[in-house]
Amino acid sequence: MPAPNLFLIGVRDVESATAFYSDLFEIEPTFISPHYVAFEVAPGVLFALWTGYSDHAVPGTPRTSEVGLMVPGAATAIDEIFTSWASKGVRVLEEPHEAVFGRTFVIADPDGNLIRVSPVD
């Protein structure tokens, strides 16, 4: 059975969202169109931004899913990412803390999409 290979995030403005994610994750898009931008995050796996949900990509709308960045190494690696991202002025929703799966924090992109950093499972 094939595994999921496209992770799609709804945004209001694909250009500003592209700039945000390019800076945050230090990656460049592999495909750009006026309403859809894709980043190849692993061979054959895309993280994409799409304006097709722009009516619902409102910062105040509660979210029940998250973009995840699992970080190898000690908990201090997560704190270092938090410090780096906080210096960029991201909106912090949860400061670094210990959860059942280890050290974690959550920020939001300009459209309110959640981004969690945590240790590798």
Side-chain angles (χ1 to χ4, degrees):
M1 187 59 109
N5 60 3
L6 173 63
F7 299 91
L8 195 59
I9 305 299
V11 298
R12 292 173 294 166
D13 179 337
V14 77
E15 287 182 24
S16 65
T18 299
F20 176 84
Y21 282 101
S22 290
D23 181 52
L24 191 70
F25 293 142
E26 299 176 358
I27 57 176
E28 293 300 320
T30 54
F31 179 85
I32 299 173
S33 74
H35 300 283
Y36 175 88
V37 173
F39 301 86
E40 187 172 38
V41 293
V45 179
L46 298 179
F47 170 77
L49 310 170
W50 184 42
T51 60
Y53 303 121
S54 61
D55 291 346
H56 303 288
V58 179
T61 302
R63 300 299 203 278
T64 57
S65 63
E66 301 173 340
V67 171
L69 176 65
M70 295 193 307
V71 178
T76 55
I78 291 169
D79 291 335
E80 289 169 7
I81 292 171
F82 177 79
T83 300
S84 172
W85 288 5
S87 73
K88 296 178 182 198
V90 298
R91 184 164 55 115
V92 176
L93 302 181
E94 294 179 13
E95 299 268 338
H97 64 280
E98 294 299 322
V100 295
F101 46 81
R103 191 93 173 138
T104 188
F105 69 89
V106 178
I107 67 163
D109 76 5
D111 294 298
N113 297 302
L114 306 178
I115 304 163
R116 177 178 299 277
V117 177
S118 63
V120 174
D121 288 343

